[in-house]
Amino acid sequence: MNKIVIAIDGYSSCGKSTMAKQLAKELNYVFIDSGAMYRAITLYFLRNNINLNDSAVVENALQHIQLQFAYNIAEGKSDMLLNNENVEAAIRSMDVSNNVSAVAALEAVRTFAVAQQQQMGKAKGIVMDGRDIGTTVFPDAELKIFVTADVDTRVQRRLKELHDKGNTDISFEEVKQNLLSRDYIDSTRAISPLRKADDAVLLDNTNLTREEQLNIVLNLVMERASGK
Ligand code: DC
């Protein structure tokens, strides 16, 4: 079967990464969580008090950032490295979540991240999830999926993920506000806003189990990889 490029986009916490990770495992493809790159850049900016309104400062800071993915066998996915430091846990904090959409809206940041993402897709056999993968990063991807789910379902899933990681002092409302605010900034920003590509398949997974969702997407992959 031909190796293809699979672009998965959608709102915050609607299970894009879970789906992309499962799919990559089934197909023996590379999985890239593009949001982790924006989160790592945000972590660097927060640690170094970078003023987002000063484009020269932002450009200079980006020159000091090296992003890499390192495969974590136990997790079955890659961890994000920021200048050789494993920041996989740090980039999931509420502090990063509350600031990442503003950072990801900056043109210099997007140019920096998109160039690296496009490089990773050159060999095909990749599943990348994010907000602009089907529209900007891989507009020619053979399969594009736009995932969505009911907002309260997304909040419950995100809360469970945070609780499982020992983050128990965050309320439903706090998580909901963060998701809604990120959805708003991500879909209204000037550069590469979150939107469904015209040729993307819309998948609402509110009432789907992970297995049902995986089967739907695997069938789509079979079709596209055989050129249908
Ligand atoms: O997928 P995530 O929630 O970890 O992404 C974090 C933020 O990064 C999200 O709120 C918007 C931004 N992002 C983006 O602008 N473009 C992408 N391709 C991926 C993420």
Side-chain angles (χ1 to χ4, degrees):
M1 203 166 59
N2 290 334
K3 291 225 175 217
I4 63 170
V5 172
I6 305 173
I8 300 182
D9 290 301
Y11 295 102
S12 295
S13 295
C14 58
K16 301 183 298 294
S17 288
T18 305
M19 181 209 283
K21 196 163 93 174
Q22 280 182 314
L23 205 51
K25 194 172 165 210
E26 284 290 322
L27 299 167
N28 208 8
Y29 275 24
V30 174
F31 158 56
I32 298 292
D33 168 5
S34 70
M37 298 171 73
Y38 291 100
R39 287 174 177 272
I41 296 168
T42 303
L43 180 66
Y44 182 93
F45 282 12
L46 286 171
R47 283 177 174 174
N48 294 280
N49 289 316
I50 300 302
N51 178 357
L52 302 188
N53 298 315
D54 188 332
S55 56
V57 169
V58 168
E59 296 265 4
N60 181 59
L62 289 170
Q63 287 180 21
H64 294 90
I65 295 179
Q66 203 207 359
L67 300 178
Q68 274 172 304
F69 286 98
Y71 195 70
N72 178 330
I73 298 173
E75 292 285 321
K77 70 176 278 275
S78 295
D79 285 345
M80 188 76 244
L81 304 189
L82 167 63
N83 295 334
N84 294 320
E85 174 193 348
N86 190 324
V87 292
E88 191 53 40
I91 61 172
R92 311 288 163 192
S93 70
M94 272 319 268
D95 198 19
V96 169
S97 293
N98 284 332
N99 287 282
V100 63
S101 285
V103 171
L106 300 174
E107 183 167 17
V109 169
R110 301 209 71 81
T111 305
F112 176 84
V114 169
Q116 296 182 35
Q117 292 155 4
Q118 288 177 331
Q119 193 60 35
M120 294 173 199
K122 286 229 160 98
K124 300 220 175 202
I126 189 170
V127 190
M128 192 177 288
D129 83 287
R131 304 291 187 291
D132 62 340
I133 310 305
T135 51
T136 303
V137 181
F138 301 129
D140 298 326
E142 288 86 352
L143 176 59
K144 300 178 186 179
I145 298 166
F146 192 88
V147 195
T148 179
D150 165 74
V151 68
D152 285 356
T153 305
R154 293 195 278 135
V155 176
Q156 288 295 3
R157 290 175 184 164
R158 181 82 186 118
L159 259 183
K160 183 177 181 308
E161 199 177 282
L162 287 165
H163 283 189
D164 289 350
K165 285 184 180 149
N167 243 325
T168 49
D169 54 350
I170 298 170
S171 68
F172 183 94
E173 266 320 303
E174 206 179 336
V175 172
K176 187 166 180 173
Q177 280 321 310
N178 173 261
L179 291 194
L180 291 176
S181 143
R182 282 203 284 144
D183 286 350
Y184 179 76
I185 303 174
D186 296 342
S187 44
T188 55
R189 67 179 174 226
I191 310 150
S192 300
L194 166 66
R195 68 168 183 85
K196 178 185 164 299
D198 294 338
D199 52 350
V201 177
L202 182 68
L203 185 73
D204 183 332
N205 66 17
T206 309
N207 296 308
L208 293 179
T209 64
R210 287 182 179 187
E211 289 67 31
E212 287 167 339
Q213 167 172 276
L214 181 64
N215 282 333
I216 292 172
V217 183
L218 278 174
N219 280 330
L220 290 168
V221 174
M222 299 311 158
E223 268 175 40
R224 303 298 166 94
S226 59
K228 280 184 206 159

